[in-house]
Amino acid sequence: MSDALNPAEPIAATAAGPEETEEEPIKQRKNGLYPGVSDELAESMKSGWADTELHDLQPIAQAENTAARRAALSARFPGERLVIPAGNLKTRSNDTEYAFRASVEYAYLTGNQTEDGVLVLEPTATGHDATIYLLPRSNRENGEFWLDGQGELWVGRRHSLTEAGKLYGIPASDVRELTDKLREATGPVRVVRGHDAGIEAALTDKVTAERDEELRVFLSEARLVKDEFEIGELQKACDSTARGFEDVVKVLDKAEATSERYIEGTFFLRARVEGNDIGYGSICAAGPHATTLHWVRNDGAVRSGELLLLDAGVETHSYYTADITRTLPINGRFNELQKKIYDAVYEAQEAGIAAVKPGGKFRDFHDASQRVLAEKLVEWGLVEGPVERVLELGLQRRWTLHGTGHMLGMDVHDCAVARTESYVDGTLEPGMCLTVEPGLYFQADDLTVPEEYRGIGVRIEDDILVTADGNKNLSAALPRTSDDVEAWMARLKG
């Protein structure tokens, strides 16, 4: 990485010409190699650049969908100014930042994904006027484009405000003017908190935590039912994820020679080639690591004869993620006990998926899956029955551990702040997308089970869309039965 100037420091006037010598000189990196910028170089950098304005842009694919979402938001909060920030870059270390991901609320309403953006809905007599506030193209007159660490020479071209207006179907303005406007604003205001401290500071005397939380809850619940664009993106994510799982199976021999990291890196390549990123930290849990629910260290050994629990998802360029888990025999064949446990989890998943249907309760699939697993644990003599007692006391949870699924969308655990009565205690509707993911986990140090069970973890997870007449498994491209898994792995290994 080049280190000529400090990207965190403001542009100094020395680069803007002799008429501004009263201002502070350019603040440079402590150990930068250039002591300053000559007037001649500053003048040279102002000119000789081609006009790169894009004139034939078409709206993004989801522009009509984001407009409909803003209309629903407007109808819910008439007469109020609504402020939804994208967020800012976060420092990873010193002067390097994490890759930016816009807030879900902002991306859901605009389709834009750039840092520092803010959507503002100004109330009118008939609804709201939307404006998207963004950083404009870098200024070449004052040297910003090549001297500022976030200038376009350093980080790449960004759209002009005119271009942004065409792409997102929203008039665009300079975000650097927004905080002053918000400080002067009158009337009721709500802001989505937690993403932009500067925006929140400008509104500190105009908002309340309770009112802002109502806005956040509404936007979370708005995502419970997916539109056609979102369903298409979720299907893309599942299809890419299936190909990523195939990639992993083909290189299990290399993972055995190295570690779980080889599996993680292999899947990540597919996510970056076909999507934006991974939707969450990949769980590449081999052997006893499969009993740790969120094993993302991925630094363990991969051994023939053991199981690999792979829980991973590709995130599309529009931020929709898959969330799929398969538990695979590393050598391609389940042993007798592994198969018994795997088949029990598969049976539980089948019961859960069958319970996903419009008009059903969200909890139904969880209850159906847990009943099957409780029955198996009683049958195997691991817990004392009857099954009704086990379920009433939750005794099966020692080995099932987690809930059987969650909503899925732009967040892997989507709609997380929706009201309980709308989500966990709610009713399923066509367009909802959720995971069904029962599991059994026998910890390596669990003395209540026979020794041969210890260190075995199995989870099977699929992404299920609620349809008008039942459900659709968006991740059905990946096999689920133990026999199909073995045949699939054999075919991929050639």
Side-chain angles (χ1 to χ4, degrees):
M1 174 179 282
S2 299
D3 67 347
L5 296 166
N6 187 338
E9 298 294 357
I11 302 303
T14 307
E19 70 276 10
E20 299 184 26
T21 53
E22 296 289 326
E23 298 186 25
E24 293 184 11
I26 298 169
K27 292 182 180 179
Q28 304 205 29
R29 191 186 302 272
K30 181 177 181 180
N31 290 301
L33 295 175
Y34 288 105
V37 176
S38 69
D39 292 343
E40 291 78 7
L41 175 57
E43 193 63 30
S44 170
M45 294 297 285
K46 291 181 183 181
S47 60
W49 307 101
D51 179 6
T52 61
E53 183 75 8
L54 304 175
H55 299 285
D56 298 322
L57 293 175
Q58 297 298 315
I60 59 173
Q62 68 267 42
E64 291 186 6
N65 303 86
T66 55
R69 298 165 194 166
R70 293 192 300 274
L73 176 61
S74 173
R76 171 62 179 83
F77 298 104
E80 303 185 53
R81 181 176 285 102
L82 308 174
V83 182
I84 301 94
N88 315 123
L89 290 171
K90 291 182 173 61
T91 299
R92 181 178 184 271
S93 180
N94 187 25
D95 58 356
T96 60
E97 294 86 21
Y98 288 104
F100 180 74
R101 190 183 192 274
S103 74
V104 165
E105 296 89 351
Y106 175 85
Y108 177 75
L109 293 167
T110 66
N112 178 258
Q113 300 176 7
T114 55
E115 66 269 17
D116 302 325
V118 184
L119 173 68
V120 178
L121 271 61
E122 296 282 351
T124 67
T126 57
H128 288 82
D129 287 337
T131 303
I132 187 170
Y133 288 87
L134 302 166
L135 283 172
R137 297 289 310 278
S138 292
N139 191 323
R140 293 177 188 261
E141 280 298 308
N142 68 3
E144 174 193 345
F145 88 102
W146 72 287
L147 293 174
D148 188 279
Q150 295 303 317
E152 290 177 293
L153 185 145
W154 290 93
V155 299
R157 185 188 189 278
R158 53 182 174 256
H159 287 295
S160 71
L161 298 179
T162 300
E163 292 170 354
K166 293 178 181 178
L167 285 169
Y168 305 111
I170 314 170
S173 292
D174 190 337
V175 71
R176 294 172 296 187
E177 302 169 358
L178 180 58
T179 52
D180 288 341
K181 290 183 179 180
L182 294 177
R183 287 190 188 98
E184 298 168 2
T186 58
V189 183
R190 296 178 193 256
V191 63
V192 176
R193 300 189 181 202
H195 301 301
D196 192 318
I199 294 297
E200 290 179 36
L203 294 170
T204 186
D205 60 341
K206 308 176 194 301
V207 296
T208 67
E210 293 78 12
R211 287 162 50 80
D212 292 347
E213 183 64 10
E214 288 177 356
L215 172 60
R216 193 166 75 112
V217 168
F218 173 81
L219 290 172
S220 190
E221 292 187 9
R223 302 199 308 276
L224 284 168
V225 176
K226 271 58 180 179
D227 58 38
E228 289 186 9
F229 176 83
E230 294 178 289
I231 292 169
E233 290 298 291
L234 287 166
Q235 185 64 71
K236 281 187 201 174
C238 287
D239 292 344
S240 290
T241 300
R243 289 187 283 272
F245 276 56
E246 291 177 350
D247 296 338
V248 167
V249 171
K250 292 175 182 177
V251 300
L252 282 177
D253 58 334
K254 294 183 173 62
E256 287 187 61
T258 52
S259 75
E260 295 163 338
R261 292 279 169 92
Y262 205 97
I263 295 166
E264 179 183 353
T266 298
F267 186 83
F268 180 69
L269 177 62
R270 178 66 65 173
R272 287 293 282 166
V273 167
E274 295 194 2
N276 176 58
D277 206 330
I278 51 175
Y280 53 95
S282 298
I283 298 168
C284 307
H289 288 162
T291 66
T292 301
L293 296 184
H294 287 170
W295 177 260
V296 293
R297 299 179 202 172
N298 298 335
D299 58 1
V302 180
R303 292 178 284 260
S304 179
E306 296 185 335
L307 299 177
L308 166 68
L309 190 157
L310 177 59
D311 183 338
V314 172
E315 177 185 84
T316 67
H317 293 290
S318 58
Y319 287 175
Y320 291 86
T321 186
D323 181 8
I324 303 172
T325 305
R326 290 294 183 269
T327 304
L328 311 173
I330 292 167
N331 64 9
R333 301 286 295 180
F334 293 100
N335 66 33
E336 185 177 349
L337 179 59
Q338 291 168 349
K339 187 176 189 300
K340 181 178 84 167
I341 296 170
Y342 184 95
D343 288 348
V345 174
Y346 171 75
E347 186 177 331
Q349 194 200 28
E350 281 284 271
I353 292 173
V356 176
K357 53 190 174 184
K361 294 296 184 181
F362 178 85
R363 292 180 179 273
D364 288 350
F365 74 92
H366 169 72
D367 293 341
S369 292
Q370 290 293 300
R371 176 170 291 277
V372 171
L373 295 178
E375 289 170 351
K376 297 296 182 182
L377 292 166
V378 171
E379 176 187 326
W380 298 341
L382 302 183
V383 64
E384 182 182 348
V387 169
E388 293 299 338
R389 168 184 170 272
V390 173
L391 291 170
E392 181 181 355
L393 300 177
L395 301 179
Q396 83 284 358
R397 293 179 60 186
R398 181 182 178 100
W399 302 284
T400 66
L401 297 179
H402 54 79
T404 311
H406 52 80
M407 292 296 182
L408 183 68
M410 297 181 83
D411 281 325
V412 64
H413 299 135
D414 209 29
C415 314
V417 299
R419 293 169 299 170
T420 301
E421 59 265 33
S422 300
Y423 188 163
V424 173
D425 292 337
T427 300
L428 296 178
E429 301 176 38
M432 290 182 170
C433 188
L434 52 93
T435 66
V436 179
E437 51 176 313
L440 282 173
Y441 311 90
F442 301 101
Q443 305 301 317
D445 58 351
D446 187 351
L447 301 181
T448 70
V449 300
E451 185 175 358
E452 61 266 25
Y453 283 77
R454 298 172 198 166
I456 295 178
V458 174
R459 180 164 66 252
I460 311 171
E461 177 180 19
D462 285 88
D463 300 344
I464 310 299
L465 173 70
V466 183
T467 62
D469 57 357
N471 67 65
K472 178 183 179 182
N473 185 347
L474 300 181
S475 47
L478 287 171
R480 291 191 297 126
T481 70
S482 54
D483 288 344
D484 287 348
V485 166
E486 289 180 342
W488 172 72
M489 292 183 70
R491 186 170 65 253
L492 288 173
K493 290 184 174 184

